[in-house]
Amino acid sequence: MNDSTEKNTVTAAEISELLDDLMLELRFHGLELQDKLIHRTLDMQERLKQLNQNLTD
């Protein structure tokens, strides 16, 4: 019975570590996506400025 409990504890610890790794990975990808969105937004803003400038010329 004690061996079984130890195995479950190790498994729970391993699962906890995997979940922590997964959360870090998700945060990292979230930051990557946020960075891409910011760059695309800035690019679009610049394009709109150019279009506006072309229309007013």
Side-chain angles (χ1 to χ4, degrees):
M1 183 74 175
N2 195 12
D3 289 339
S4 177
T5 303
E6 279 185 35
K7 286 180 184 177
N8 288 340
T9 301
V10 171
T11 302
E14 289 172 345
I15 290 171
S16 179
E17 185 177 337
L18 288 171
L19 288 173
D20 288 345
D21 290 347
L22 178 60
M23 289 301 296
L24 287 174
E25 191 74 19
L26 288 172
R27 285 186 191 137
F28 174 74
H29 287 295
L31 291 174
E32 279 185 331
L33 290 172
Q34 183 179 17
D35 188 55
K36 286 180 183 179
L37 181 59
I38 288 169
H39 280 69
R40 287 183 182 176
T41 302
L42 292 173
D43 288 345
M44 185 61 68
Q45 184 179 27
E46 191 59 38
R47 289 180 190 174
L48 288 171
K49 283 180 183 178
Q50 280 295 95
L51 284 172
N52 193 31
Q53 184 68 33
N54 292 343
L55 289 173
T56 57
D57 287 346

